[in-house]
Amino acid sequence: YIAFCLIFDKKTSRTLATEYISMAFNMDFINKDYLAESLSDMLMSHFAPVDRLIEYFDQLNPDHIKSFQLLIIEKCIRKVKIDDLPINFKKLVASYYDINNLLNKEPDNEIDLMINTIKKQSRTFSYWSVDPTCIYLSFLAKNSSHSYGNN
């Protein structure tokens, strides 16, 4: 239910789902793997637009929530079918690299290989490239003196 609400078309439902997830993390009663699995199943079967989840990734969140968001993206990348990419899948990939940068993590080699394979083999995204501006902005965010919700 929470996974569905997080990608529902009504913004109020998405906001409430975001607050519930934060509360569940703080109280340590959330099954992260199950929630990430449910979200990735729904998104990779085109149940909802990727942009609705990207909205959740773009919010300022503490590191433990960002790590959860990274888990969701990794599960999506593992499940995607090259010949049936969801619209705006490249935004999901960009979020993967952005979140890794924010967490000061190196991208997982297996996921990175999958992304490169998708880029090479996908007819839809044969022109893919990561926007250098996004990489630069991620670098600035990571190296600035501002706090980005990292606890």
Short mmCIF file of all heavy atoms in Angstrom, two decimals, residues 7-60:
data_model
loop_
_atom_site.label_atom_id
_atom_site.label_comp_id
_atom_site.label_asym_id
_atom_site.label_seq_id
_atom_site.Cartn_x
_atom_site.Cartn_y
_atom_site.Cartn_z
N ILE A 7 3.83 6.32 -5.50
CA ILE A 7 3.83 6.61 -6.94
C ILE A 7 2.42 6.90 -7.47
O ILE A 7 2.20 6.94 -8.67
CB ILE A 7 4.50 5.47 -7.73
CG1 ILE A 7 3.80 4.13 -7.48
CG2 ILE A 7 5.98 5.41 -7.43
CD1 ILE A 7 4.33 2.98 -8.31
N PHE A 8 1.48 7.12 -6.55
CA PHE A 8 0.10 7.42 -6.93
C PHE A 8 0.04 8.78 -7.62
O PHE A 8 0.90 9.64 -7.43
CB PHE A 8 -0.77 7.42 -5.66
CG PHE A 8 -2.25 7.48 -5.91
CD1 PHE A 8 -2.89 6.52 -6.68
CD2 PHE A 8 -3.01 8.50 -5.36
CE1 PHE A 8 -4.25 6.58 -6.89
CE2 PHE A 8 -4.38 8.56 -5.57
CZ PHE A 8 -5.00 7.60 -6.34
N ASP A 9 -1.00 9.01 -8.41
CA ASP A 9 -1.07 10.27 -9.16
C ASP A 9 -1.41 11.48 -8.30
O ASP A 9 -1.13 12.61 -8.68
CB ASP A 9 -2.02 10.16 -10.35
CG ASP A 9 -3.47 9.92 -9.97
OD1 ASP A 9 -3.73 9.50 -8.83
OD2 ASP A 9 -4.34 10.13 -10.82
N LYS A 10 -1.97 11.29 -7.13
CA LYS A 10 -2.30 12.42 -6.24
C LYS A 10 -1.09 12.76 -5.37
O LYS A 10 -0.57 11.94 -4.65
CB LYS A 10 -3.48 12.07 -5.33
CG LYS A 10 -4.73 11.65 -6.08
CD LYS A 10 -5.37 12.81 -6.79
CE LYS A 10 -6.67 12.37 -7.43
NZ LYS A 10 -7.01 13.11 -8.59
N LYS A 11 -0.68 14.02 -5.46
CA LYS A 11 0.50 14.47 -4.72
C LYS A 11 0.33 14.30 -3.20
O LYS A 11 1.29 13.96 -2.51
CB LYS A 11 0.80 15.93 -5.05
CG LYS A 11 2.05 16.43 -4.37
CD LYS A 11 2.71 17.50 -5.16
CE LYS A 11 3.91 18.06 -4.46
NZ LYS A 11 5.12 17.35 -4.72
N THR A 12 -0.87 14.50 -2.69
CA THR A 12 -1.11 14.34 -1.25
C THR A 12 -0.78 12.92 -0.80
O THR A 12 -0.15 12.73 0.25
CB THR A 12 -2.58 14.67 -0.91
OG1 THR A 12 -2.85 16.00 -1.35
CG2 THR A 12 -2.83 14.57 0.57
N SER A 13 -1.15 11.94 -1.58
CA SER A 13 -0.85 10.55 -1.25
C SER A 13 0.65 10.30 -1.26
O SER A 13 1.19 9.61 -0.39
CB SER A 13 -1.53 9.59 -2.24
OG SER A 13 -2.92 9.69 -2.12
N ARG A 14 1.34 10.87 -2.25
CA ARG A 14 2.79 10.69 -2.32
C ARG A 14 3.47 11.35 -1.12
O ARG A 14 4.41 10.79 -0.55
CB ARG A 14 3.33 11.26 -3.63
CG ARG A 14 2.83 10.50 -4.85
CD ARG A 14 3.59 10.83 -6.12
NE ARG A 14 3.66 12.23 -6.48
CZ ARG A 14 2.78 12.85 -7.26
NH1 ARG A 14 1.74 12.21 -7.75
NH2 ARG A 14 2.95 14.13 -7.56
N THR A 15 3.00 12.52 -0.74
CA THR A 15 3.57 13.22 0.42
C THR A 15 3.36 12.42 1.70
O THR A 15 4.28 12.27 2.52
CB THR A 15 2.94 14.62 0.56
OG1 THR A 15 3.18 15.35 -0.64
CG2 THR A 15 3.50 15.37 1.75
N LEU A 16 2.15 11.90 1.89
CA LEU A 16 1.87 11.09 3.08
C LEU A 16 2.71 9.82 3.11
O LEU A 16 3.21 9.41 4.16
CB LEU A 16 0.38 10.75 3.17
CG LEU A 16 -0.54 11.93 3.49
CD1 LEU A 16 -2.00 11.51 3.33
CD2 LEU A 16 -0.27 12.45 4.90
N ALA A 17 2.91 9.19 1.95
CA ALA A 17 3.74 7.99 1.88
C ALA A 17 5.19 8.31 2.25
O ALA A 17 5.83 7.55 2.98
CB ALA A 17 3.67 7.38 0.49
N THR A 18 5.67 9.45 1.78
CA THR A 18 7.03 9.89 2.12
C THR A 18 7.17 10.08 3.62
O THR A 18 8.15 9.63 4.23
CB THR A 18 7.36 11.20 1.38
OG1 THR A 18 7.27 10.96 -0.03
CG2 THR A 18 8.73 11.71 1.73
N GLU A 19 6.21 10.72 4.24
CA GLU A 19 6.25 10.95 5.69
C GLU A 19 6.16 9.63 6.45
O GLU A 19 6.85 9.43 7.45
CB GLU A 19 5.11 11.88 6.10
CG GLU A 19 5.31 13.31 5.62
CD GLU A 19 4.11 14.21 5.89
OE1 GLU A 19 3.19 13.81 6.62
OE2 GLU A 19 4.12 15.33 5.34
N TYR A 20 5.32 8.72 5.97
CA TYR A 20 5.20 7.41 6.62
C TYR A 20 6.52 6.64 6.55
O TYR A 20 6.94 6.05 7.55
CB TYR A 20 4.08 6.58 5.97
CG TYR A 20 3.97 5.21 6.57
CD1 TYR A 20 3.23 5.01 7.73
CD2 TYR A 20 4.63 4.13 6.01
CE1 TYR A 20 3.14 3.76 8.31
CE2 TYR A 20 4.55 2.88 6.58
CZ TYR A 20 3.81 2.68 7.72
OH TYR A 20 3.73 1.45 8.29
N ILE A 21 7.17 6.67 5.39
CA ILE A 21 8.44 5.97 5.25
C ILE A 21 9.48 6.54 6.20
O ILE A 21 10.19 5.80 6.88
CB ILE A 21 8.93 6.02 3.78
CG1 ILE A 21 8.03 5.15 2.90
CG2 ILE A 21 10.38 5.57 3.67
CD1 ILE A 21 8.25 5.34 1.41
N SER A 22 9.54 7.85 6.31
CA SER A 22 10.49 8.49 7.25
C SER A 22 10.20 8.08 8.68
O SER A 22 11.11 7.73 9.44
CB SER A 22 10.43 10.01 7.13
OG SER A 22 10.91 10.43 5.90
N MET A 23 8.93 8.09 9.06
CA MET A 23 8.56 7.69 10.41
C MET A 23 8.90 6.22 10.65
O MET A 23 9.44 5.85 11.69
CB MET A 23 7.07 7.91 10.64
CG MET A 23 6.61 7.51 12.04
SD MET A 23 4.81 7.40 12.19
CE MET A 23 4.46 6.01 11.15
N ALA A 24 8.61 5.37 9.66
CA ALA A 24 8.88 3.93 9.81
C ALA A 24 10.38 3.67 9.94
O ALA A 24 10.79 2.79 10.70
CB ALA A 24 8.30 3.17 8.62
N PHE A 25 11.19 4.43 9.22
CA PHE A 25 12.64 4.30 9.37
C PHE A 25 13.07 4.72 10.77
O PHE A 25 13.88 4.04 11.41
CB PHE A 25 13.37 5.16 8.34
CG PHE A 25 13.79 4.41 7.11
CD1 PHE A 25 12.93 4.35 6.02
CD2 PHE A 25 15.01 3.78 7.03
CE1 PHE A 25 13.30 3.68 4.89
CE2 PHE A 25 15.38 3.10 5.90
CZ PHE A 25 14.53 3.04 4.81
N ASN A 26 12.54 5.84 11.24
CA ASN A 26 12.91 6.33 12.57
C ASN A 26 12.50 5.38 13.68
O ASN A 26 13.18 5.27 14.70
CB ASN A 26 12.31 7.72 12.81
CG ASN A 26 12.95 8.77 11.94
OD1 ASN A 26 14.07 8.62 11.47
ND2 ASN A 26 12.22 9.85 11.69
N MET A 27 11.37 4.70 13.50
CA MET A 27 10.89 3.76 14.51
C MET A 27 11.35 2.33 14.23
O MET A 27 11.01 1.42 14.98
CB MET A 27 9.37 3.85 14.60
CG MET A 27 8.90 5.24 14.99
SD MET A 27 7.13 5.38 15.07
CE MET A 27 6.84 4.69 16.70
N ASP A 28 12.09 2.15 13.15
CA ASP A 28 12.69 0.87 12.77
C ASP A 28 11.66 -0.26 12.62
O ASP A 28 11.82 -1.35 13.16
CB ASP A 28 13.78 0.48 13.78
CG ASP A 28 14.70 -0.58 13.22
OD1 ASP A 28 14.89 -0.63 11.99
OD2 ASP A 28 15.23 -1.38 14.02
N PHE A 29 10.59 0.02 11.88
CA PHE A 29 9.61 -1.05 11.64
C PHE A 29 9.23 -1.16 10.17
O PHE A 29 8.11 -1.50 9.82
CB PHE A 29 8.36 -0.89 12.52
CG PHE A 29 7.47 0.27 12.20
CD1 PHE A 29 6.50 0.19 11.20
CD2 PHE A 29 7.59 1.45 12.90
CE1 PHE A 29 5.68 1.27 10.92
CE2 PHE A 29 6.76 2.53 12.62
CZ PHE A 29 5.81 2.43 11.63
N ILE A 30 10.18 -0.93 9.30
CA ILE A 30 9.91 -1.00 7.87
C ILE A 30 10.72 -2.12 7.24
O ILE A 30 11.87 -2.34 7.62
CB ILE A 30 10.22 0.36 7.19
CG1 ILE A 30 9.65 0.38 5.79
CG2 ILE A 30 11.69 0.66 7.19
CD1 ILE A 30 9.59 1.77 5.18
N ASN A 31 10.09 -2.84 6.34
CA ASN A 31 10.79 -3.87 5.59
C ASN A 31 11.28 -3.22 4.30
O ASN A 31 10.56 -3.17 3.30
CB ASN A 31 9.85 -5.05 5.31
CG ASN A 31 10.55 -6.20 4.64
OD1 ASN A 31 11.58 -6.04 4.00
ND2 ASN A 31 9.97 -7.38 4.78
N LYS A 32 12.52 -2.74 4.33
CA LYS A 32 13.08 -1.99 3.20
C LYS A 32 13.12 -2.80 1.92
O LYS A 32 12.78 -2.30 0.85
CB LYS A 32 14.49 -1.51 3.55
CG LYS A 32 14.53 -0.49 4.68
CD LYS A 32 15.94 -0.17 5.05
CE LYS A 32 16.26 -1.00 6.22
NZ LYS A 32 17.06 -0.61 7.25
N ASP A 33 13.56 -4.05 2.03
CA ASP A 33 13.67 -4.88 0.84
C ASP A 33 12.32 -5.12 0.18
O ASP A 33 12.19 -5.04 -1.04
CB ASP A 33 14.33 -6.23 1.16
CG ASP A 33 15.82 -6.10 1.35
OD1 ASP A 33 16.45 -5.26 0.67
OD2 ASP A 33 16.37 -6.83 2.20
N TYR A 34 11.32 -5.39 0.99
CA TYR A 34 9.99 -5.65 0.44
C TYR A 34 9.41 -4.40 -0.23
O TYR A 34 8.85 -4.47 -1.33
CB TYR A 34 9.04 -6.14 1.54
CG TYR A 34 7.64 -6.42 1.04
CD1 TYR A 34 7.37 -7.53 0.26
CD2 TYR A 34 6.60 -5.54 1.33
CE1 TYR A 34 6.10 -7.78 -0.23
CE2 TYR A 34 5.32 -5.78 0.85
CZ TYR A 34 5.07 -6.89 0.07
OH TYR A 34 3.82 -7.12 -0.41
N LEU A 35 9.58 -3.25 0.42
CA LEU A 35 9.08 -2.01 -0.14
C LEU A 35 9.82 -1.66 -1.44
O LEU A 35 9.19 -1.30 -2.45
CB LEU A 35 9.21 -0.87 0.87
CG LEU A 35 8.62 0.48 0.48
CD1 LEU A 35 7.15 0.37 0.11
CD2 LEU A 35 8.79 1.47 1.64
N ALA A 36 11.13 -1.80 -1.43
CA ALA A 36 11.92 -1.53 -2.64
C ALA A 36 11.55 -2.50 -3.76
O ALA A 36 11.43 -2.10 -4.93
CB ALA A 36 13.41 -1.62 -2.33
N GLU A 37 11.35 -3.75 -3.41
CA GLU A 37 10.95 -4.77 -4.39
C GLU A 37 9.58 -4.43 -5.00
O GLU A 37 9.39 -4.51 -6.22
CB GLU A 37 10.91 -6.13 -3.71
CG GLU A 37 10.82 -7.30 -4.64
CD GLU A 37 12.15 -7.60 -5.33
OE1 GLU A 37 13.21 -7.35 -4.74
OE2 GLU A 37 12.09 -8.08 -6.48
N SER A 38 8.65 -4.04 -4.15
CA SER A 38 7.30 -3.68 -4.63
C SER A 38 7.34 -2.48 -5.57
O SER A 38 6.70 -2.48 -6.62
CB SER A 38 6.38 -3.37 -3.44
OG SER A 38 6.23 -4.50 -2.62
N LEU A 39 8.08 -1.46 -5.18
CA LEU A 39 8.20 -0.27 -6.02
C LEU A 39 8.85 -0.60 -7.37
O LEU A 39 8.38 -0.16 -8.42
CB LEU A 39 9.00 0.81 -5.31
CG LEU A 39 8.24 1.60 -4.26
CD1 LEU A 39 9.20 2.34 -3.34
CD2 LEU A 39 7.28 2.57 -4.94
N SER A 40 9.90 -1.38 -7.33
CA SER A 40 10.59 -1.71 -8.59
C SER A 40 9.70 -2.56 -9.49
O SER A 40 9.69 -2.36 -10.70
CB SER A 40 11.93 -2.38 -8.33
OG SER A 40 11.76 -3.63 -7.69
N ASP A 41 8.93 -3.48 -8.90
CA ASP A 41 7.99 -4.28 -9.70
C ASP A 41 6.96 -3.38 -10.40
O ASP A 41 6.69 -3.53 -11.59
CB ASP A 41 7.24 -5.30 -8.83
CG ASP A 41 8.09 -6.49 -8.45
OD1 ASP A 41 9.12 -6.74 -9.12
OD2 ASP A 41 7.72 -7.18 -7.48
N MET A 42 6.40 -2.45 -9.65
CA MET A 42 5.38 -1.57 -10.22
C MET A 42 5.95 -0.67 -11.32
O MET A 42 5.35 -0.51 -12.37
CB MET A 42 4.72 -0.73 -9.13
CG MET A 42 3.75 -1.52 -8.27
SD MET A 42 2.81 -0.47 -7.15
CE MET A 42 3.80 -0.58 -5.68
N LEU A 43 7.10 -0.08 -11.05
CA LEU A 43 7.68 0.85 -12.02
C LEU A 43 8.15 0.16 -13.29
O LEU A 43 7.94 0.65 -14.39
CB LEU A 43 8.84 1.63 -11.39
CG LEU A 43 8.42 2.69 -10.40
CD1 LEU A 43 9.63 3.25 -9.68
CD2 LEU A 43 7.66 3.81 -11.09
N MET A 44 8.78 -1.00 -13.14
CA MET A 44 9.31 -1.69 -14.32
C MET A 44 8.21 -2.38 -15.13
O MET A 44 8.44 -2.80 -16.25
CB MET A 44 10.41 -2.68 -13.92
CG MET A 44 11.65 -2.00 -13.34
SD MET A 44 12.37 -0.72 -14.40
CE MET A 44 11.82 0.79 -13.64
N SER A 45 7.01 -2.47 -14.55
CA SER A 45 5.87 -3.00 -15.33
C SER A 45 4.99 -1.85 -15.83
O SER A 45 3.86 -2.07 -16.24
CB SER A 45 5.07 -3.99 -14.49
OG SER A 45 4.50 -3.36 -13.38
N HIS A 46 5.51 -0.63 -15.77
CA HIS A 46 4.84 0.57 -16.29
C HIS A 46 3.53 0.89 -15.56
O HIS A 46 2.62 1.48 -16.12
CB HIS A 46 4.57 0.44 -17.80
CG HIS A 46 5.79 0.16 -18.60
ND1 HIS A 46 6.59 1.16 -19.09
CD2 HIS A 46 6.36 -1.02 -18.97
CE1 HIS A 46 7.60 0.61 -19.75
NE2 HIS A 46 7.48 -0.70 -19.70
N PHE A 47 3.46 0.54 -14.30
CA PHE A 47 2.27 0.82 -13.50
C PHE A 47 2.10 2.32 -13.25
O PHE A 47 1.00 2.82 -13.15
CB PHE A 47 2.35 0.05 -12.18
CG PHE A 47 1.16 0.22 -11.29
CD1 PHE A 47 -0.03 -0.46 -11.56
CD2 PHE A 47 1.20 1.06 -10.19
CE1 PHE A 47 -1.14 -0.31 -10.76
CE2 PHE A 47 0.10 1.22 -9.38
CZ PHE A 47 -1.07 0.53 -9.65
N ALA A 48 3.22 3.01 -13.13
CA ALA A 48 3.21 4.46 -12.88
C ALA A 48 4.45 5.07 -13.53
O ALA A 48 5.44 4.37 -13.75
CB ALA A 48 3.21 4.73 -11.38
N PRO A 49 4.39 6.36 -13.83
CA PRO A 49 5.56 7.01 -14.43
C PRO A 49 6.74 7.09 -13.46
O PRO A 49 6.57 7.29 -12.26
CB PRO A 49 5.06 8.42 -14.75
CG PRO A 49 3.60 8.40 -14.61
CD PRO A 49 3.25 7.25 -13.72
N VAL A 50 7.92 6.93 -14.01
CA VAL A 50 9.15 7.02 -13.23
C VAL A 50 9.26 8.39 -12.55
O VAL A 50 9.77 8.50 -11.44
CB VAL A 50 10.37 6.74 -14.14
CG1 VAL A 50 11.67 7.10 -13.46
CG2 VAL A 50 10.38 5.28 -14.58
N ASP A 51 8.75 9.43 -13.20
CA ASP A 51 8.87 10.79 -12.66
C ASP A 51 8.28 10.92 -11.25
O ASP A 51 8.75 11.74 -10.47
CB ASP A 51 8.19 11.79 -13.58
CG ASP A 51 9.00 12.07 -14.83
OD1 ASP A 51 10.17 11.64 -14.90
OD2 ASP A 51 8.46 12.72 -15.74
N ARG A 52 7.27 10.16 -10.95
CA ARG A 52 6.67 10.25 -9.61
C ARG A 52 7.64 9.78 -8.54
O ARG A 52 7.66 10.31 -7.44
CB ARG A 52 5.38 9.45 -9.55
CG ARG A 52 4.30 10.07 -10.40
CD ARG A 52 2.99 9.39 -10.18
NE ARG A 52 2.05 9.82 -11.22
CZ ARG A 52 1.06 9.08 -11.66
NH1 ARG A 52 0.85 7.88 -11.15
NH2 ARG A 52 0.26 9.52 -12.59
N LEU A 53 8.45 8.79 -8.87
CA LEU A 53 9.45 8.32 -7.90
C LEU A 53 10.64 9.27 -7.87
O LEU A 53 11.22 9.50 -6.81
CB LEU A 53 9.90 6.90 -8.24
CG LEU A 53 10.72 6.22 -7.15
CD1 LEU A 53 9.90 6.06 -5.87
CD2 LEU A 53 11.20 4.86 -7.62
N ILE A 54 10.98 9.84 -9.02
CA ILE A 54 12.09 10.80 -9.07
C ILE A 54 11.81 11.97 -8.14
O ILE A 54 12.69 12.48 -7.47
CB ILE A 54 12.33 11.29 -10.53
CG1 ILE A 54 12.71 10.14 -11.45
CG2 ILE A 54 13.37 12.40 -10.58
CD1 ILE A 54 13.96 9.40 -11.10
N GLU A 55 10.56 12.37 -8.07
CA GLU A 55 10.15 13.45 -7.15
C GLU A 55 10.55 13.11 -5.71
O GLU A 55 11.01 13.96 -4.97
CB GLU A 55 8.63 13.61 -7.26
CG GLU A 55 8.02 14.59 -6.31
CD GLU A 55 6.49 14.55 -6.41
OE1 GLU A 55 5.96 14.99 -7.45
OE2 GLU A 55 5.85 14.07 -5.46
N TYR A 56 10.41 11.85 -5.33
CA TYR A 56 10.79 11.39 -3.99
C TYR A 56 12.31 11.43 -3.83
O TYR A 56 12.83 11.82 -2.79
CB TYR A 56 10.25 9.98 -3.78
CG TYR A 56 10.69 9.28 -2.52
CD1 TYR A 56 10.47 9.85 -1.27
CD2 TYR A 56 11.31 8.04 -2.57
CE1 TYR A 56 10.86 9.20 -0.10
CE2 TYR A 56 11.70 7.38 -1.41
CZ TYR A 56 11.47 7.97 -0.19
OH TYR A 56 11.86 7.33 0.96
N PHE A 57 13.04 11.07 -4.88
CA PHE A 57 14.50 11.08 -4.81
C PHE A 57 15.06 12.49 -4.72
O PHE A 57 16.12 12.69 -4.15
CB PHE A 57 15.10 10.40 -6.05
CG PHE A 57 14.77 8.93 -6.18
CD1 PHE A 57 14.75 8.34 -7.42
CD2 PHE A 57 14.48 8.16 -5.09
CE1 PHE A 57 14.46 7.00 -7.58
CE2 PHE A 57 14.17 6.82 -5.22
CZ PHE A 57 14.17 6.24 -6.48
N ASP A 58 14.36 13.44 -5.30
CA ASP A 58 14.85 14.82 -5.34
C ASP A 58 14.70 15.57 -4.02
O ASP A 58 15.24 16.65 -3.86
CB ASP A 58 14.15 15.60 -6.45
CG ASP A 58 14.60 15.17 -7.84
OD1 ASP A 58 15.64 14.50 -7.95
OD2 ASP A 58 13.88 15.50 -8.81
N GLN A 59 13.99 14.99 -3.08
CA GLN A 59 13.80 15.65 -1.78
C GLN A 59 15.06 15.52 -0.93
O GLN A 59 15.83 14.57 -1.08
CB GLN A 59 12.62 15.03 -1.04
CG GLN A 59 11.31 15.20 -1.75
CD GLN A 59 10.19 14.42 -1.08
OE1 GLN A 59 10.36 13.82 -0.04
NE2 GLN A 59 9.03 14.45 -1.70
N LEU A 60 15.25 16.49 -0.05
CA LEU A 60 16.36 16.41 0.88
C LEU A 60 16.02 15.38 1.95
O LEU A 60 14.98 15.48 2.60
CB LEU A 60 16.62 17.77 1.52
CG LEU A 60 17.05 18.89 0.58
CD1 LEU A 60 17.24 20.18 1.35
CD2 LEU A 60 18.32 18.52 -0.16
#
